[in-house]
Amino acid sequence: MAVGIVIVSHSARLAEGVAELAGQMSMGEVTIAVAGGTDDGSIGTSIDKVTAALQKAANPEGTLVLLDLGSAVMVAEMALEMLDPQERERVLISTAPLVEGAVLAAVEASAGSTLQEVAEAANNGHEMPKGKHR
Amino acid sequence: MAVGIVIVSHSARLAEGVAELAGQMSMGEVTIAVAGGTDDGSIGTSIDKVTAALQKAANPEGTLVLLDLGSAVMVAEMALEMLDPQERERVLISTAPLVEGAVLAAVEASAGSTLQEVAEAANNGHEMPKGKHR
Amino acid sequence: MPVTNETILQWLQRSAQVLHENNAYLTELDSAIGDADHGSNMDRGFNAVITKIADMQEADIGTLLKTVGTTLVSTVGGASGPLYGTAFLRAGMATTGKKALETADIVAMFEAAVEGVKARGKAQAGEKTMLDALIPAIEAGKQAQLEQVDIPELLKRMAASAASGMQSTIGLTATKGRASYLGERSVGHQDPGATSSWLIVQALADTVAS
Amino acid sequence: MPVTNETILQWLQRSAQVLHENNAYLTELDSAIGDADHGSNMDRGFNAVITKIADMQEADIGTLLKTVGTTLVSTVGGASGPLYGTAFLRAGMATTGKKALETADIVAMFEAAVEGVKARGKAQAGEKTMLDALIPAIEAGKQAQLEQVDIPELLKRMAASAASGMQSTIGLTATKGRASYLGERSVGHQDPGATSSWLIVQALADTVAS
Ligand SMILES: Nc1ncnc2c1ncn2[C@@H]1O[C@H](COP(=O)(O)OP(=O)(O)O)[C@@H](O)[C@H]1O
Ligand SMILES: Nc1ncnc2c1ncn2[C@@H]1O[C@H](COP(=O)(O)OP(=O)(O)O)[C@@H](O)[C@H]1O
Ligand SMILES: [Mg+2]
Ligand SMILES: [Mg+2]
Ligand SMILES: [Mg+2]
Ligand SMILES: [Mg+2]
């Protein structure tokens, strides 16, 4: 099984868009679960959505959580604290840029890499070339 | 008038989500135009959508274009080449991470900053703290 | 006269009411240095709280406060959700099983809450957050405890310190949360979270005074 | 026998047909090192092209190719859109006003196209892109021109070189486009864009041969 990915965003559309873009690169081999927006559909985060997404993406290889803004870290951390310790150990919260990190993480995860490798791949999102050509 | 922002993404939902998130921070003071997906609504980019977004966000202070993936650079550059030279000079393509860059650019633009300052603010998106606490 | 579970219920109801009345004000503060939702976030959260605690007249204070915490975490939707959520959860843990709080319990309850906010937000005093209202409040509370004043007076002093701490945020540069995206431009604006924190502490002082 | 505007029209129609037939194949190649859309991108683009050029029997070759370029840019939706769009636009500029192409015109047309792809994609040979089919093709074309072979033979050699260039991409590591996200893992897979480039060059050789 491939490392799972959780996308936490303040916007439901943003989370779904990231999952759709990253999912294109992993050909359905990677579970990309989303937690976007609040429970009532406004802009914000929802611990219940994060918890559900963590459950959906949970697997023996681990899960990488990517976030849109710093304030989503707190809700993600609270959701992690609610997991039992073995599960919690298999989850990493990434500091990578959301979109770029998710695409690279999806590519890496679909290759069967470890959680650590997927997390490192996501961090390469900082260097994703966008016009500054190598 | 504030510097305009154009969000180019392969996914329509992603582009709209980014605009919604960044727009929350600029309180309607900044035009954030989106170009997401292809003309027929599938995943990809559309030069016509980019051109329309550039027109919508065009203003004397300039426009910052943010992209999701490197392959969007080419379509953005072709759209720029179709502008007349004075307009083209007022547009910058950012290498910043899309979501983080757009939020910081929106904040900076709403403060009445110059295009150069808005572009620099977007680049600070790389350092947006997400759990690695300062 | 100790603070009973009934007092706590009244405090929570008063907080909900005050936050509802200040919805537009808090949102206005948040629109200057944030995303213009702190009022609606807090109103939504405390509205859910009063529904949740409506039938909890018999519950002890710890149970009551933990319920508030989990409800806020689930419903606020902003950074203040995990922060106030953690604050009330920790306050609940510090008051487990109690149906009445003496001075020391009140101070311990607030101290636990403030430590929870610090841990959750990895923040400290002077970063232009709710902590700049809460830390002066707990310091005033400890000082009042040393001076052995009665509970209404202790809470009055805590609320007054929260208010001046809140005002002090105007001069501060934000280094945590969304307001930090503004950098130096955050100076000159009062922090919305510090304001809601003051409102909540004030609501307790007012509940006990009346 | 020169290549006429009629030949070019037939080439474009044949390209559309071949790309349509190879839609699934190109997408399969793209699914290994990309996002599984190169087949549908090219099919959509060339489908729009044949609609656009349906009534252009009287148009000169430059006008025809420029129309192809703008149509592809507007309809392909992937990285290959601006790339093939630029290629055909530059090819059109190199053949402005012409209703027939001699050997030198054909070589100049392809050279302009390949330079366009290089400029648009900021790429060069060996980066596992369509250029790894196109650059060998234009080199073979220039060599054939020196050897003064006839146009069908020249195009046959160009197509053969495009094919072997395409095959060479299997051993390359991608450093441009989405496939570069795979790094070393892109080795072992044939580049979809190099494959469509070969199909298009082959279609011209076949059109002229028949
Ligand atoms: N890391 C933190 N530590 C303490 N308080 C914080 C932190 N981040 C944000 N805050 C507080 O939260 C308030 C904003 O709450 P709210 O508007 O509800 O959330 P959001 O910023 O997600 O929209 C700020 O005014 C500040 O007082
Ligand atoms: N910078 C570039 N220069 C040249 N060719 C490129 C470049 N980037 C991508 N390509 C070509 O484009 C092909 C992919 O096209 P396509 O799948 O239609 O676009 P996308 O990658 O946007 O989905 C690749 O196989 C490669 O040949
Ligand atoms: Mg807010
Ligand atoms: Mg918010
Ligand atoms: Mg593709
Ligand atoms: Mg694509």
Side-chain angles (χ1 to χ4, degrees):
Chain A
M1 256 191 105
V3 167
I5 296 175
V6 168
I7 307 294
V8 180
S9 170
H10 285 70
S11 155
R13 289 189 287 182
L14 207 169
E16 283 156 20
V18 174
E20 131 179 288
L21 196 66
Q24 249 204 332
M25 297 295 290
S26 56
M27 307 291 146
E29 284 160 38
V30 179
T31 303
I32 305 176
V34 298
T38 63
D39 290 340
D40 68 3
S42 51
I43 305 186
T45 53
S46 152
I47 192 159
D48 293 339
K49 287 191 180 186
V50 176
T51 301
L54 282 170
Q55 255 151 26
K56 203 177 152 196
N59 74 75
E61 300 306 320
T63 310
L64 189 70
V65 181
L66 291 123
L67 315 159
D68 58 357
L69 298 177
S71 45
V73 176
M74 293 188 283
V75 78
E77 284 176 349
M78 284 199 93
L80 288 199
E81 287 164 18
M82 282 158 38
L83 297 177
D84 53 66
Q86 301 120 287
E87 278 186 74
R88 199 188 307 152
E89 263 174 29
R90 287 197 288 262
V91 183
L92 270 184
I93 299 180
S94 171
T95 59
L98 179 61
V99 176
E100 299 79 2
V103 169
L104 296 180
V107 170
E108 189 74 29
S110 68
S113 303
T114 65
L115 177 57
Q116 203 54 51
E117 288 164 340
V118 173
E120 278 163 28
N123 276 119
N124 290 334
H126 286 297
E127 277 84 48
M128 182 179 275
K130 291 184 180 176
K132 290 266 169 63
H133 304 278
R134 295 178 289 194
Chain B
M1 257 192 102
V3 166
I5 296 175
V6 169
I7 307 294
V8 180
S9 170
H10 285 70
S11 155
R13 288 188 287 181
L14 206 169
E16 283 156 20
V18 174
E20 132 178 288
L21 196 65
Q24 248 203 333
M25 297 294 290
S26 55
M27 307 291 145
E29 283 161 38
V30 179
T31 303
I32 304 176
V34 298
T38 63
D39 290 341
D40 68 3
S42 51
I43 305 186
T45 53
S46 153
I47 191 158
D48 293 340
K49 286 193 180 184
V50 176
T51 302
L54 283 170
Q55 254 151 28
K56 203 177 152 197
N59 74 74
E61 300 306 320
T63 310
L64 188 70
V65 181
L66 291 123
L67 315 160
D68 57 357
L69 298 177
S71 47
V73 176
M74 294 188 283
V75 78
E77 284 176 350
M78 283 199 94
L80 288 198
E81 286 163 19
M82 283 158 39
L83 298 177
D84 54 65
Q86 301 121 285
E87 278 185 75
R88 199 188 308 152
E89 264 174 30
R90 286 196 289 261
V91 182
L92 269 185
I93 298 180
S94 171
T95 59
L98 179 61
V99 175
E100 299 79 1
V103 168
L104 296 180
V107 170
E108 189 75 29
S110 68
S113 303
T114 65
L115 177 56
Q116 203 57 50
E117 288 164 338
V118 173
E120 278 162 29
N123 275 121
N124 290 336
H126 286 297
E127 277 85 50
M128 182 180 276
K130 291 185 182 176
K132 290 267 171 62
H133 304 277
R134 295 179 291 194
Chain C
M1 201 193 63
V3 164
T4 65
N5 56 334
E6 204 192 315
T7 323
I8 295 292
L9 267 178
Q10 286 167 359
W11 167 40
L12 295 169
Q13 267 141 7
R14 188 188 276 260
S15 296
Q17 191 192 322
V18 167
L19 289 166
H20 180 67
E21 287 162 8
N22 285 278
N23 182 327
Y25 173 53
L26 292 172
T27 288
E28 194 196 309
L29 292 175
D30 197 27
S31 87
I33 55 171
D35 56 350
D37 63 3
H38 189 58
S40 51
N41 285 347
M42 295 304 291
D43 195 11
R44 177 173 49 216
F46 270 84
N47 197 40
V49 163
I50 50 172
T51 309
K52 228 10 177 303
I53 62 172
D55 298 324
M56 292 183 72
Q57 285 83 1
E58 301 307 315
D60 66 83
I61 295 171
T63 306
L64 215 44
L65 294 178
K66 280 181 237 165
T67 304
V68 174
T70 53
T71 306
L72 291 179
V73 176
S74 289
T75 56
V76 167
S80 50
L83 291 163
Y84 281 121
T86 304
F88 279 95
L89 281 168
R90 296 285 181 95
M93 287 185 235
T95 53
T96 301
K98 292 197 196 287
K99 289 231 171 177
L101 306 178
E102 302 295 343
T103 298
D105 300 321
I106 293 174
V107 172
M109 171 183 86
F110 271 104
E111 183 138 46
V114 175
E115 289 308 313
V117 173
K118 282 186 191 167
R120 179 62 61 209
K122 273 104 175 168
Q124 51 193 45
E127 300 206 72
K128 197 181 184 98
T129 71
M130 55 179 69
L131 285 170
D132 293 310
L134 293 172
I135 291 172
I138 182 66
E139 278 167 3
K142 283 186 201 165
Q143 182 58 36
Q145 183 185 14
L146 284 180
E147 293 177 24
Q148 299 186 311
V149 304
D150 66 7
I151 292 177
E153 175 61 19
L154 178 140
L155 290 171
K156 205 178 134 188
R157 293 192 192 174
M158 284 186 68
S161 291
S164 63
M166 164 191 93
Q167 271 149 14
S168 79
T169 63
I170 298 176
L172 297 174
T173 305
T175 50
K176 282 288 178 320
R178 281 173 194 272
S180 68
Y181 304 162
L182 278 78
E184 295 296 329
R185 278 192 291 264
S186 61
V187 174
H189 302 280
Q190 185 173 309
D191 181 60
T195 310
S196 57
S197 285
W198 163 67
L199 288 171
I200 292 167
V201 177
Q202 185 68 55
L204 181 56
D206 292 345
T207 304
V208 170
S210 62
Chain D
M1 199 191 66
V3 164
T4 64
N5 57 334
E6 205 191 315
T7 323
I8 295 291
L9 266 178
Q10 286 165 359
W11 168 40
L12 295 170
Q13 268 141 5
R14 188 188 276 260
S15 296
Q17 193 192 320
V18 166
L19 289 166
H20 180 66
E21 287 161 8
N22 285 277
N23 181 327
Y25 174 53
L26 292 172
T27 288
E28 195 196 307
L29 292 175
D30 198 27
S31 86
I33 55 170
D35 57 350
D37 64 2
H38 189 59
S40 52
N41 285 348
M42 294 305 289
D43 195 11
R44 176 171 52 215
F46 270 84
N47 196 42
V49 163
I50 50 171
T51 310
K52 230 4 177 308
I53 61 173
D55 298 322
M56 292 184 73
Q57 285 81 1
E58 302 307 315
D60 67 83
I61 296 171
T63 307
L64 215 43
L65 295 177
K66 280 181 237 164
T67 305
V68 174
T70 53
T71 307
L72 291 179
V73 176
S74 290
T75 56
V76 168
S80 51
L83 290 164
Y84 281 121
T86 304
F88 279 95
L89 281 167
R90 296 286 180 93
M93 288 185 232
T95 53
T96 301
K98 292 198 197 288
K99 288 233 169 176
L101 307 177
E102 302 295 343
T103 298
D105 300 321
I106 294 174
V107 171
M109 172 183 87
F110 271 104
E111 183 138 44
V114 175
E115 289 308 313
V117 173
K118 282 186 193 168
R120 179 62 61 210
K122 273 102 174 169
Q124 52 192 43
E127 301 206 73
K128 199 183 184 94
T129 71
M130 56 178 69
L131 285 170
D132 292 310
L134 293 172
I135 292 172
I138 181 66
E139 279 167 2
K142 283 187 201 164
Q143 182 58 36
Q145 183 186 14
L146 284 179
E147 293 176 25
Q148 297 187 311
V149 304
D150 65 8
I151 291 176
E153 175 62 18
L154 178 140
L155 290 170
K156 206 177 133 189
R157 292 191 193 175
M158 284 185 67
S161 292
S164 62
M166 163 191 94
Q167 271 148 14
S168 79
T169 63
I170 297 175
L172 296 175
T173 304
T175 50
K176 284 287 177 320
R178 280 172 195 274
S180 68
Y181 303 162
L182 278 79
E184 296 295 330
R185 277 191 290 265
S186 61
V187 174
H189 301 281
Q190 185 172 308
D191 182 60
T195 309
S196 57
S197 286
W198 163 65
L199 289 171
I200 293 167
V201 178
Q202 185 67 56
L204 181 56
D206 292 344
T207 304
V208 170
S210 63

